PDB file of all heavy atoms in Angstrom:
ATOM      1  N   ARG A1124     -26.726  -9.423 -10.536  1.00 96.00           N
ATOM      2  CA  ARG A1124     -26.114 -10.688 -10.135  1.00 96.00           C
ATOM      3  C   ARG A1124     -25.449 -10.482  -8.775  1.00 96.00           C
ATOM      4  O   ARG A1124     -24.299 -10.061  -8.675  1.00 96.00           O
ATOM      5  CB  ARG A1124     -25.084 -11.127 -11.165  1.00 96.00           C
ATOM      6  CG  ARG A1124     -25.708 -11.677 -12.441  1.00 96.00           C
ATOM      7  CD  ARG A1124     -24.631 -12.026 -13.466  1.00 96.00           C
ATOM      8  NE  ARG A1124     -25.177 -12.883 -14.522  1.00 96.00           N
ATOM      9  CZ  ARG A1124     -24.492 -13.283 -15.590  1.00 96.00           C
ATOM     10  NH1 ARG A1124     -23.228 -12.887 -15.746  1.00 96.00           N
ATOM     11  NH2 ARG A1124     -25.067 -14.061 -16.492  1.00 96.00           N
ATOM     12  N   PHE A1125     -26.181 -10.789  -7.722  1.00 96.00           N
ATOM     13  CA  PHE A1125     -25.676 -10.526  -6.379  1.00 96.00           C
ATOM     14  C   PHE A1125     -24.644 -11.563  -5.953  1.00 96.00           C
ATOM     15  O   PHE A1125     -24.777 -12.755  -6.266  1.00 96.00           O
ATOM     16  CB  PHE A1125     -26.816 -10.512  -5.374  1.00 96.00           C
ATOM     17  CG  PHE A1125     -27.769  -9.359  -5.546  1.00 96.00           C
ATOM     18  CD1 PHE A1125     -29.144  -9.577  -5.589  1.00 96.00           C
ATOM     19  CD2 PHE A1125     -27.304  -8.061  -5.664  1.00 96.00           C
ATOM     20  CE1 PHE A1125     -30.028  -8.529  -5.747  1.00 96.00           C
ATOM     21  CE2 PHE A1125     -28.184  -6.997  -5.815  1.00 96.00           C
ATOM     22  CZ  PHE A1125     -29.543  -7.233  -5.861  1.00 96.00           C
ATOM     23  N   PRO A1126     -23.627 -11.136  -5.189  1.00 95.00           N
ATOM     24  CA  PRO A1126     -22.733 -12.094  -4.538  1.00 95.00           C
ATOM     25  C   PRO A1126     -23.399 -12.625  -3.278  1.00 95.00           C
ATOM     26  O   PRO A1126     -24.630 -12.520  -3.113  1.00 95.00           O
ATOM     27  CB  PRO A1126     -21.504 -11.229  -4.213  1.00 95.00           C
ATOM     28  CG  PRO A1126     -22.092  -9.874  -3.953  1.00 95.00           C
ATOM     29  CD  PRO A1126     -23.278  -9.750  -4.891  1.00 95.00           C
ATOM     30  N   ASN A1127     -22.625 -13.182  -2.348  1.00 94.00           N
ATOM     31  CA  ASN A1127     -23.181 -13.591  -1.056  1.00 94.00           C
ATOM     32  C   ASN A1127     -23.747 -12.367  -0.348  1.00 94.00           C
ATOM     33  O   ASN A1127     -23.107 -11.308  -0.317  1.00 94.00           O
ATOM     34  CB  ASN A1127     -22.093 -14.218  -0.183  1.00 94.00           C
ATOM     35  CG  ASN A1127     -21.587 -15.531  -0.737  1.00 94.00           C
ATOM     36  OD1 ASN A1127     -22.362 -16.441  -1.005  1.00 94.00           O
ATOM     37  ND2 ASN A1127     -20.281 -15.628  -0.934  1.00 94.00           N
ATOM     38  N   LEU A1128     -24.938 -12.520   0.199  1.00 95.00           N
ATOM     39  CA  LEU A1128     -25.582 -11.414   0.891  1.00 95.00           C
ATOM     40  C   LEU A1128     -25.388 -11.554   2.396  1.00 95.00           C
ATOM     41  O   LEU A1128     -25.369 -12.669   2.936  1.00 95.00           O
ATOM     42  CB  LEU A1128     -27.069 -11.367   0.545  1.00 95.00           C
ATOM     43  CG  LEU A1128     -27.389 -11.198  -0.939  1.00 95.00           C
ATOM     44  CD1 LEU A1128     -28.891 -11.105  -1.149  1.00 95.00           C
ATOM     45  CD2 LEU A1128     -26.689  -9.978  -1.519  1.00 95.00           C
ATOM     46  N   MET A1129     -25.305 -10.419   3.044  1.00 95.00           N
ATOM     47  CA  MET A1129     -25.028 -10.378   4.474  1.00 95.00           C
ATOM     48  C   MET A1129     -26.131  -9.577   5.158  1.00 95.00           C
ATOM     49  O   MET A1129     -26.226  -8.362   5.023  1.00 95.00           O
ATOM     50  CB  MET A1129     -23.662  -9.704   4.655  1.00 95.00           C
ATOM     51  CG  MET A1129     -23.233  -9.418   6.053  1.00 95.00           C
ATOM     52  SD  MET A1129     -21.601  -8.625   5.964  1.00 95.00           S
ATOM     53  CE  MET A1129     -21.711  -7.543   7.365  1.00 95.00           C
ATOM     54  N   GLY A1130     -27.022 -10.295   5.840  1.00 94.00           N
ATOM     55  CA  GLY A1130     -28.129  -9.667   6.540  1.00 94.00           C
ATOM     56  C   GLY A1130     -28.686 -10.658   7.536  1.00 94.00           C
ATOM     57  O   GLY A1130     -28.225 -11.809   7.624  1.00 94.00           O
ATOM     58  N   HIS A1131     -29.701 -10.231   8.300  1.00 93.00           N
ATOM     59  CA  HIS A1131     -30.239 -11.119   9.328  1.00 93.00           C
ATOM     60  C   HIS A1131     -31.063 -12.220   8.662  1.00 93.00           C
ATOM     61  O   HIS A1131     -32.103 -11.972   8.060  1.00 93.00           O
ATOM     62  CB  HIS A1131     -31.120 -10.354  10.311  1.00 93.00           C
ATOM     63  CG  HIS A1131     -31.481 -11.176  11.511  1.00 93.00           C
ATOM     64  ND1 HIS A1131     -30.755 -11.145  12.684  1.00 93.00           N
ATOM     65  CD2 HIS A1131     -32.467 -12.074  11.713  1.00 93.00           C
ATOM     66  CE1 HIS A1131     -31.290 -11.979  13.549  1.00 93.00           C
ATOM     67  NE2 HIS A1131     -32.336 -12.558  12.981  1.00 93.00           N
ATOM     68  N   SER A1132     -30.568 -13.430   8.775  1.00 90.00           N
ATOM     69  CA  SER A1132     -31.246 -14.587   8.204  1.00 90.00           C
ATOM     70  C   SER A1132     -31.065 -15.777   9.136  1.00 90.00           C
ATOM     71  O   SER A1132     -30.318 -15.716  10.120  1.00 90.00           O
ATOM     72  CB  SER A1132     -30.687 -14.914   6.814  1.00 90.00           C
ATOM     73  OG  SER A1132     -29.308 -15.228   6.889  1.00 90.00           O
ATOM     74  N   ARG A1133     -31.749 -16.850   8.818  1.00 89.00           N
ATOM     75  CA  ARG A1133     -31.704 -18.035   9.667  1.00 89.00           C
ATOM     76  C   ARG A1133     -30.297 -18.620   9.721  1.00 89.00           C
ATOM     77  O   ARG A1133     -29.686 -18.850   8.669  1.00 89.00           O
ATOM     78  CB  ARG A1133     -32.691 -19.062   9.116  1.00 89.00           C
ATOM     79  CG  ARG A1133     -32.698 -20.405   9.833  1.00 89.00           C
ATOM     80  CD  ARG A1133     -34.005 -21.143   9.574  1.00 89.00           C
ATOM     81  NE  ARG A1133     -34.440 -21.098   8.201  1.00 89.00           N
ATOM     82  CZ  ARG A1133     -34.503 -22.170   7.395  1.00 89.00           C
ATOM     83  NH1 ARG A1133     -34.133 -23.350   7.843  1.00 89.00           N
ATOM     84  NH2 ARG A1133     -34.959 -22.050   6.162  1.00 89.00           N
ATOM     85  N   PRO A1134     -29.747 -18.848  10.916  1.00 90.00           N
ATOM     86  CA  PRO A1134     -28.416 -19.460  11.002  1.00 90.00           C
ATOM     87  C   PRO A1134     -28.460 -20.927  10.599  1.00 90.00           C
ATOM     88  O   PRO A1134     -29.521 -21.554  10.548  1.00 90.00           O
ATOM     89  CB  PRO A1134     -28.047 -19.295  12.478  1.00 90.00           C
ATOM     90  CG  PRO A1134     -29.358 -19.208  13.189  1.00 90.00           C
ATOM     91  CD  PRO A1134     -30.300 -18.520  12.236  1.00 90.00           C
ATOM     92  N   ASN A1135     -27.289 -21.449  10.293  1.00 86.00           N
ATOM     93  CA  ASN A1135     -27.154 -22.858   9.894  1.00 86.00           C
ATOM     94  C   ASN A1135     -28.016 -23.180   8.682  1.00 86.00           C
ATOM     95  O   ASN A1135     -28.572 -24.279   8.571  1.00 86.00           O
ATOM     96  CB  ASN A1135     -27.508 -23.793  11.055  1.00 86.00           C
ATOM     97  CG  ASN A1135     -26.585 -23.608  12.245  1.00 86.00           C
ATOM     98  OD1 ASN A1135     -25.362 -23.623  12.103  1.00 86.00           O
ATOM     99  ND2 ASN A1135     -27.167 -23.405  13.422  1.00 86.00           N
ATOM    100  N   TYR A1136     -28.130 -22.200   7.760  1.00 83.00           N
ATOM    101  CA  TYR A1136     -28.929 -22.421   6.559  1.00 83.00           C
ATOM    102  C   TYR A1136     -28.063 -22.175   5.331  1.00 83.00           C
ATOM    103  O   TYR A1136     -27.422 -23.081   4.833  1.00 83.00           O
ATOM    104  CB  TYR A1136     -30.170 -21.529   6.591  1.00 83.00           C
ATOM    105  CG  TYR A1136     -31.111 -21.719   5.416  1.00 83.00           C
ATOM    106  CD1 TYR A1136     -31.637 -22.970   5.129  1.00 83.00           C
ATOM    107  CD2 TYR A1136     -31.473 -20.648   4.607  1.00 83.00           C
ATOM    108  CE1 TYR A1136     -32.493 -23.161   4.050  1.00 83.00           C
ATOM    109  CE2 TYR A1136     -32.342 -20.823   3.533  1.00 83.00           C
ATOM    110  CZ  TYR A1136     -32.849 -22.078   3.265  1.00 83.00           C
ATOM    111  OH  TYR A1136     -33.689 -22.252   2.203  1.00 83.00           O
ATOM    112  N   ASN A1137     -28.003 -20.950   4.846  1.00 79.00           N
ATOM    113  CA  ASN A1137     -27.189 -20.716   3.654  1.00 79.00           C
ATOM    114  C   ASN A1137     -26.273 -19.503   3.777  1.00 79.00           C
ATOM    115  O   ASN A1137     -25.800 -18.987   2.779  1.00 79.00           O
ATOM    116  CB  ASN A1137     -28.073 -20.580   2.411  1.00 79.00           C
ATOM    117  CG  ASN A1137     -28.924 -19.326   2.447  1.00 79.00           C
ATOM    118  OD1 ASN A1137     -29.089 -18.713   3.488  1.00 79.00           O
ATOM    119  ND2 ASN A1137     -29.475 -18.953   1.296  1.00 79.00           N
ATOM    120  N   SER A1138     -26.032 -19.039   5.010  1.00 87.00           N
ATOM    121  CA  SER A1138     -25.148 -17.892   5.205  1.00 87.00           C
ATOM    122  C   SER A1138     -24.151 -18.195   6.316  1.00 87.00           C
ATOM    123  O   SER A1138     -24.529 -18.336   7.483  1.00 87.00           O
ATOM    124  CB  SER A1138     -25.948 -16.631   5.559  1.00 87.00           C
ATOM    125  OG  SER A1138     -25.079 -15.595   5.987  1.00 87.00           O
ATOM    126  N   ALA A1139     -22.875 -18.285   5.950  1.00 91.00           N
ATOM    127  CA  ALA A1139     -21.838 -18.522   6.954  1.00 91.00           C
ATOM    128  C   ALA A1139     -21.756 -17.349   7.922  1.00 91.00           C
ATOM    129  O   ALA A1139     -21.551 -17.537   9.132  1.00 91.00           O
ATOM    130  CB  ALA A1139     -20.488 -18.735   6.268  1.00 91.00           C
ATOM    131  N   VAL A1140     -21.935 -16.131   7.426  1.00 95.00           N
ATOM    132  CA  VAL A1140     -21.832 -14.955   8.296  1.00 95.00           C
ATOM    133  C   VAL A1140     -22.936 -14.974   9.346  1.00 95.00           C
ATOM    134  O   VAL A1140     -22.692 -14.734  10.534  1.00 95.00           O
ATOM    135  CB  VAL A1140     -21.882 -13.656   7.465  1.00 95.00           C
ATOM    136  CG1 VAL A1140     -21.849 -12.438   8.383  1.00 95.00           C
ATOM    137  CG2 VAL A1140     -20.720 -13.600   6.492  1.00 95.00           C
ATOM    138  N   SER A1141     -24.169 -15.260   8.919  1.00 95.00           N
ATOM    139  CA  SER A1141     -25.266 -15.336   9.876  1.00 95.00           C
ATOM    140  C   SER A1141     -25.020 -16.428  10.912  1.00 95.00           C
ATOM    141  O   SER A1141     -25.290 -16.244  12.108  1.00 95.00           O
ATOM    142  CB  SER A1141     -26.589 -15.594   9.145  1.00 95.00           C
ATOM    143  OG  SER A1141     -26.972 -14.469   8.388  1.00 95.00           O
ATOM    144  N   THR A1142     -24.510 -17.543  10.459  1.00 95.00           N
ATOM    145  CA  THR A1142     -24.244 -18.658  11.372  1.00 95.00           C
ATOM    146  C   THR A1142     -23.197 -18.278  12.409  1.00 95.00           C
ATOM    147  O   THR A1142     -23.368 -18.523  13.614  1.00 95.00           O
ATOM    148  CB  THR A1142     -23.779 -19.893  10.587  1.00 95.00           C
ATOM    149  OG1 THR A1142     -24.820 -20.293   9.679  1.00 95.00           O
ATOM    150  CG2 THR A1142     -23.450 -21.041  11.514  1.00 95.00           C
ATOM    151  N   PHE A1143     -22.116 -17.659  11.974  1.00 96.00           N
ATOM    152  CA  PHE A1143     -21.068 -17.251  12.916  1.00 96.00           C
ATOM    153  C   PHE A1143     -21.573 -16.174  13.871  1.00 96.00           C
ATOM    154  O   PHE A1143     -21.262 -16.205  15.073  1.00 96.00           O
ATOM    155  CB  PHE A1143     -19.834 -16.755  12.160  1.00 96.00           C
ATOM    156  CG  PHE A1143     -19.059 -17.847  11.467  1.00 96.00           C
ATOM    157  CD1 PHE A1143     -18.519 -17.651  10.213  1.00 96.00           C
ATOM    158  CD2 PHE A1143     -18.857 -19.068  12.076  1.00 96.00           C
ATOM    159  CE1 PHE A1143     -17.805 -18.652   9.569  1.00 96.00           C
ATOM    160  CE2 PHE A1143     -18.145 -20.086  11.450  1.00 96.00           C
ATOM    161  CZ  PHE A1143     -17.614 -19.870  10.188  1.00 96.00           C
ATOM    162  N   CYS A1144     -22.325 -15.205  13.351  1.00 97.00           N
ATOM    163  CA  CYS A1144     -22.875 -14.157  14.223  1.00 97.00           C
ATOM    164  C   CYS A1144     -23.740 -14.770  15.316  1.00 97.00           C
ATOM    165  O   CYS A1144     -23.613 -14.432  16.502  1.00 97.00           O
ATOM    166  CB  CYS A1144     -23.708 -13.166  13.405  1.00 97.00           C
ATOM    167  SG  CYS A1144     -22.763 -11.985  12.429  1.00 97.00           S
ATOM    168  N   TRP A1145     -24.620 -15.661  14.923  1.00 97.00           N
ATOM    169  CA  TRP A1145     -25.525 -16.308  15.881  1.00 97.00           C
ATOM    170  C   TRP A1145     -24.742 -17.137  16.893  1.00 97.00           C
ATOM    171  O   TRP A1145     -25.010 -17.076  18.107  1.00 97.00           O
ATOM    172  CB  TRP A1145     -26.511 -17.199  15.126  1.00 97.00           C
ATOM    173  CG  TRP A1145     -27.281 -18.120  16.009  1.00 97.00           C
ATOM    174  CD1 TRP A1145     -28.389 -17.830  16.754  1.00 97.00           C
ATOM    175  CD2 TRP A1145     -26.983 -19.514  16.257  1.00 97.00           C
ATOM    176  NE1 TRP A1145     -28.800 -18.944  17.447  1.00 97.00           N
ATOM    177  CE2 TRP A1145     -27.966 -19.980  17.170  1.00 97.00           C
ATOM    178  CE3 TRP A1145     -26.010 -20.382  15.794  1.00 97.00           C
ATOM    179  CZ2 TRP A1145     -27.965 -21.303  17.618  1.00 97.00           C
ATOM    180  CZ3 TRP A1145     -26.007 -21.689  16.246  1.00 97.00           C
ATOM    181  CH2 TRP A1145     -26.987 -22.140  17.141  1.00 97.00           C
ATOM    182  N   ALA A1146     -23.768 -17.898  16.413  1.00 97.00           N
ATOM    183  CA  ALA A1146     -23.011 -18.775  17.300  1.00 97.00           C
ATOM    184  C   ALA A1146     -22.220 -17.973  18.336  1.00 97.00           C
ATOM    185  O   ALA A1146     -22.245 -18.282  19.539  1.00 97.00           O
ATOM    186  CB  ALA A1146     -22.073 -19.658  16.481  1.00 97.00           C
ATOM    187  N   VAL A1147     -21.524 -16.932  17.894  1.00 97.00           N
ATOM    188  CA  VAL A1147     -20.725 -16.132  18.829  1.00 97.00           C
ATOM    189  C   VAL A1147     -21.623 -15.390  19.813  1.00 97.00           C
ATOM    190  O   VAL A1147     -21.358 -15.349  21.017  1.00 97.00           O
ATOM    191  CB  VAL A1147     -19.826 -15.151  18.052  1.00 97.00           C
ATOM    192  CG1 VAL A1147     -19.131 -14.193  19.013  1.00 97.00           C
ATOM    193  CG2 VAL A1147     -18.789 -15.906  17.228  1.00 97.00           C
ATOM    194  N   ALA A1148     -22.711 -14.813  19.309  1.00 97.00           N
ATOM    195  CA  ALA A1148     -23.609 -14.047  20.179  1.00 97.00           C
ATOM    196  C   ALA A1148     -24.292 -14.910  21.223  1.00 97.00           C
ATOM    197  O   ALA A1148     -24.607 -14.440  22.322  1.00 97.00           O
ATOM    198  CB  ALA A1148     -24.665 -13.329  19.338  1.00 97.00           C
ATOM    199  N   ASN A1149     -24.491 -16.190  20.901  1.00 97.00           N
ATOM    200  CA  ASN A1149     -25.254 -17.072  21.791  1.00 97.00           C
ATOM    201  C   ASN A1149     -24.404 -18.172  22.420  1.00 97.00           C
ATOM    202  O   ASN A1149     -24.948 -19.159  22.932  1.00 97.00           O
ATOM    203  CB  ASN A1149     -26.416 -17.694  21.015  1.00 97.00           C
ATOM    204  CG  ASN A1149     -27.466 -16.677  20.650  1.00 97.00           C
ATOM    205  OD1 ASN A1149     -28.367 -16.398  21.430  1.00 97.00           O
ATOM    206  ND2 ASN A1149     -27.362 -16.119  19.449  1.00 97.00           N
ATOM    207  N   ASP A1150     -23.075 -18.006  22.379  1.00 96.00           N
ATOM    208  CA  ASP A1150     -22.148 -18.958  23.007  1.00 96.00           C
ATOM    209  C   ASP A1150     -22.349 -20.380  22.498  1.00 96.00           C
ATOM    210  O   ASP A1150     -22.294 -21.345  23.265  1.00 96.00           O
ATOM    211  CB  ASP A1150     -22.292 -18.925  24.535  1.00 96.00           C
ATOM    212  CG  ASP A1150     -21.960 -17.563  25.122  1.00 96.00           C
ATOM    213  OD1 ASP A1150     -20.940 -16.980  24.731  1.00 96.00           O
ATOM    214  OD2 ASP A1150     -22.749 -17.072  25.960  1.00 96.00           O
ATOM    215  N   GLN A1151     -22.571 -20.491  21.197  1.00 96.00           N
ATOM    216  CA  GLN A1151     -22.739 -21.795  20.576  1.00 96.00           C
ATOM    217  C   GLN A1151     -21.451 -22.216  19.879  1.00 96.00           C
ATOM    218  O   GLN A1151     -20.677 -21.369  19.410  1.00 96.00           O
ATOM    219  CB  GLN A1151     -23.887 -21.752  19.559  1.00 96.00           C
ATOM    220  CG  GLN A1151     -25.241 -21.463  20.166  1.00 96.00           C
ATOM    221  CD  GLN A1151     -25.678 -22.538  21.138  1.00 96.00           C
ATOM    222  OE1 GLN A1151     -25.609 -23.732  20.841  1.00 96.00           O
ATOM    223  NE2 GLN A1151     -26.120 -22.113  22.321  1.00 96.00           N
ATOM    224  N   PRO A1152     -21.192 -23.517  19.796  1.00 95.00           N
ATOM    225  CA  PRO A1152     -19.958 -23.971  19.131  1.00 95.00           C
ATOM    226  C   PRO A1152     -20.021 -23.719  17.624  1.00 95.00           C
ATOM    227  O   PRO A1152     -21.092 -23.726  17.022  1.00 95.00           O
ATOM    228  CB  PRO A1152     -19.928 -25.470  19.442  1.00 95.00           C
ATOM    229  CG  PRO A1152     -21.358 -25.839  19.686  1.00 95.00           C
ATOM    230  CD  PRO A1152     -21.993 -24.639  20.328  1.00 95.00           C
ATOM    231  N   TYR A1153     -18.874 -23.482  17.040  1.00 93.00           N
ATOM    232  CA  TYR A1153     -18.797 -23.314  15.585  1.00 93.00           C
ATOM    233  C   TYR A1153     -17.428 -23.793  15.127  1.00 93.00           C
ATOM    234  O   TYR A1153     -16.482 -23.897  15.917  1.00 93.00           O
ATOM    235  CB  TYR A1153     -19.025 -21.857  15.182  1.00 93.00           C
ATOM    236  CG  TYR A1153     -18.041 -20.866  15.762  1.00 93.00           C
ATOM    237  CD1 TYR A1153     -16.852 -20.559  15.117  1.00 93.00           C
ATOM    238  CD2 TYR A1153     -18.301 -20.247  16.989  1.00 93.00           C
ATOM    239  CE1 TYR A1153     -15.948 -19.661  15.660  1.00 93.00           C
ATOM    240  CE2 TYR A1153     -17.405 -19.346  17.537  1.00 93.00           C
ATOM    241  CZ  TYR A1153     -16.231 -19.059  16.865  1.00 93.00           C
ATOM    242  OH  TYR A1153     -15.341 -18.172  17.406  1.00 93.00           O
ATOM    243  N   THR A1154     -17.320 -24.092  13.849  1.00 91.00           N
ATOM    244  CA  THR A1154     -16.079 -24.619  13.281  1.00 91.00           C
ATOM    245  C   THR A1154     -15.694 -23.801  12.061  1.00 91.00           C
ATOM    246  O   THR A1154     -16.543 -23.502  11.212  1.00 91.00           O
ATOM    247  CB  THR A1154     -16.242 -26.093  12.867  1.00 91.00           C
ATOM    248  OG1 THR A1154     -16.619 -26.867  14.010  1.00 91.00           O
ATOM    249  CG2 THR A1154     -14.948 -26.644  12.283  1.00 91.00           C
ATOM    250  N   VAL A1155     -14.430 -23.434  11.979  1.00 92.00           N
ATOM    251  CA  VAL A1155     -13.879 -22.784  10.797  1.00 92.00           C
ATOM    252  C   VAL A1155     -12.883 -23.757  10.188  1.00 92.00           C
ATOM    253  O   VAL A1155     -11.795 -23.955  10.717  1.00 92.00           O
ATOM    254  CB  VAL A1155     -13.193 -21.449  11.151  1.00 92.00           C
ATOM    255  CG1 VAL A1155     -12.640 -20.791   9.894  1.00 92.00           C
ATOM    256  CG2 VAL A1155     -14.162 -20.514  11.859  1.00 92.00           C
ATOM    257  N   ASN A1156     -13.264 -24.370   9.082  1.00 90.00           N
ATOM    258  CA  ASN A1156     -12.394 -25.381   8.473  1.00 90.00           C
ATOM    259  C   ASN A1156     -11.161 -24.775   7.820  1.00 90.00           C
ATOM    260  O   ASN A1156     -10.077 -25.360   7.862  1.00 90.00           O
ATOM    261  CB  ASN A1156     -13.186 -26.197   7.444  1.00 90.00           C
ATOM    262  CG  ASN A1156     -14.265 -27.042   8.088  1.00 90.00           C
ATOM    263  OD1 ASN A1156     -14.062 -27.610   9.165  1.00 90.00           O
ATOM    264  ND2 ASN A1156     -15.432 -27.119   7.458  1.00 90.00           N
ATOM    265  N   ASP A1157     -11.326 -23.614   7.224  1.00 93.00           N
ATOM    266  CA  ASP A1157     -10.203 -22.959   6.554  1.00 93.00           C
ATOM    267  C   ASP A1157     -10.367 -21.455   6.710  1.00 93.00           C
ATOM    268  O   ASP A1157     -11.188 -20.837   6.027  1.00 93.00           O
ATOM    269  CB  ASP A1157     -10.162 -23.348   5.074  1.00 93.00           C
ATOM    270  CG  ASP A1157      -8.939 -22.785   4.348  1.00 93.00           C
ATOM    271  OD1 ASP A1157      -8.222 -21.950   4.950  1.00 93.00           O
ATOM    272  OD2 ASP A1157      -8.712 -23.169   3.188  1.00 93.00           O
ATOM    273  N   SER A1158      -9.596 -20.863   7.611  1.00 94.00           N
ATOM    274  CA  SER A1158      -9.753 -19.437   7.910  1.00 94.00           C
ATOM    275  C   SER A1158      -9.320 -18.541   6.754  1.00 94.00           C
ATOM    276  O   SER A1158      -9.626 -17.344   6.750  1.00 94.00           O
ATOM    277  CB  SER A1158      -8.956 -19.075   9.165  1.00 94.00           C
ATOM    278  OG  SER A1158      -7.572 -19.314   8.961  1.00 94.00           O
ATOM    279  N   SER A1159      -8.621 -19.102   5.763  1.00 96.00           N
ATOM    280  CA  SER A1159      -8.146 -18.292   4.633  1.00 96.00           C
ATOM    281  C   SER A1159      -9.176 -18.171   3.516  1.00 96.00           C
ATOM    282  O   SER A1159      -8.970 -17.399   2.569  1.00 96.00           O
ATOM    283  CB  SER A1159      -6.854 -18.880   4.064  1.00 96.00           C
ATOM    284  OG  SER A1159      -7.101 -20.135   3.436  1.00 96.00           O
ATOM    285  N   VAL A1160     -10.277 -18.902   3.611  1.00 94.00           N
ATOM    286  CA  VAL A1160     -11.309 -18.829   2.570  1.00 94.00           C
ATOM    287  C   VAL A1160     -11.873 -17.412   2.509  1.00 94.00           C
ATOM    288  O   VAL A1160     -12.259 -16.838   3.525  1.00 94.00           O
ATOM    289  CB  VAL A1160     -12.440 -19.838   2.850  1.00 94.00           C
ATOM    290  CG1 VAL A1160     -13.633 -19.594   1.918  1.00 94.00           C
ATOM    291  CG2 VAL A1160     -11.925 -21.254   2.672  1.00 94.00           C
ATOM    292  N   GLU A1161     -11.911 -16.850   1.305  1.00 95.00           N
ATOM    293  CA  GLU A1161     -12.381 -15.475   1.125  1.00 95.00           C
ATOM    294  C   GLU A1161     -13.817 -15.463   0.613  1.00 95.00           C
ATOM    295  O   GLU A1161     -14.178 -16.239  -0.264  1.00 95.00           O
ATOM    296  CB  GLU A1161     -11.480 -14.727   0.140  1.00 95.00           C
ATOM    297  CG  GLU A1161     -11.812 -13.248   0.017  1.00 95.00           C
ATOM    298  CD  GLU A1161     -10.865 -12.503  -0.901  1.00 95.00           C
ATOM    299  OE1 GLU A1161     -10.956 -12.691  -2.129  1.00 95.00           O
ATOM    300  OE2 GLU A1161     -10.037 -11.734  -0.387  1.00 95.00           O
ATOM    301  N   LEU A1162     -14.616 -14.578   1.187  1.00 95.00           N
ATOM    302  CA  LEU A1162     -16.001 -14.393   0.767  1.00 95.00           C
ATOM    303  C   LEU A1162     -16.168 -13.010   0.157  1.00 95.00           C
ATOM    304  O   LEU A1162     -15.521 -12.048   0.577  1.00 95.00           O
ATOM    305  CB  LEU A1162     -16.955 -14.527   1.956  1.00 95.00           C
ATOM    306  CG  LEU A1162     -16.974 -15.849   2.714  1.00 95.00           C
ATOM    307  CD1 LEU A1162     -17.991 -15.771   3.855  1.00 95.00           C
ATOM    308  CD2 LEU A1162     -17.297 -17.015   1.794  1.00 95.00           C
ATOM    309  N   GLU A1163     -17.045 -12.929  -0.832  1.00 95.00           N
ATOM    310  CA  GLU A1163     -17.463 -11.637  -1.375  1.00 95.00           C
ATOM    311  C   GLU A1163     -18.856 -11.366  -0.823  1.00 95.00           C
ATOM    312  O   GLU A1163     -19.787 -12.133  -1.072  1.00 95.00           O
ATOM    313  CB  GLU A1163     -17.483 -11.665  -2.895  1.00 95.00           C
ATOM    314  CG  GLU A1163     -16.110 -11.862  -3.512  1.00 95.00           C
ATOM    315  CD  GLU A1163     -16.162 -11.866  -5.021  1.00 95.00           C
ATOM    316  OE1 GLU A1163     -17.280 -11.918  -5.577  1.00 95.00           O
ATOM    317  OE2 GLU A1163     -15.089 -11.830  -5.645  1.00 95.00           O
TER     318      GLU A1163
END
């Protein structure tokens, strides 16, 4: 029973980490609605 997985995947799909990595690396805008949200 896997938790959230963290690997190279399509951004803006089903991984917040991939989306943030892509956005920061490519100077794209991104939004963090609640910085206290914890991910496993």
Side-chain angles (χ1 to χ4, degrees):
R1124 285 177 164 176
F1125 293 131
N1127 293 306
L1128 301 182
M1129 174 180 147
H1131 190 94
S1132 61
R1133 176 159 44 113
N1135 298 309
Y1136 183 56
N1137 67 344
S1138 169
V1140 177
S1141 291
T1142 299
F1143 288 140
C1144 284
W1145 168 81
V1147 173
N1149 291 274
D1150 299 314
Q1151 296 297 312
Y1153 60 89
T1154 301
V1155 181
N1156 293 321
D1157 185 351
S1158 62
S1159 68
V1160 170
E1161 186 177 73
L1162 300 180
E1163 295 181 349

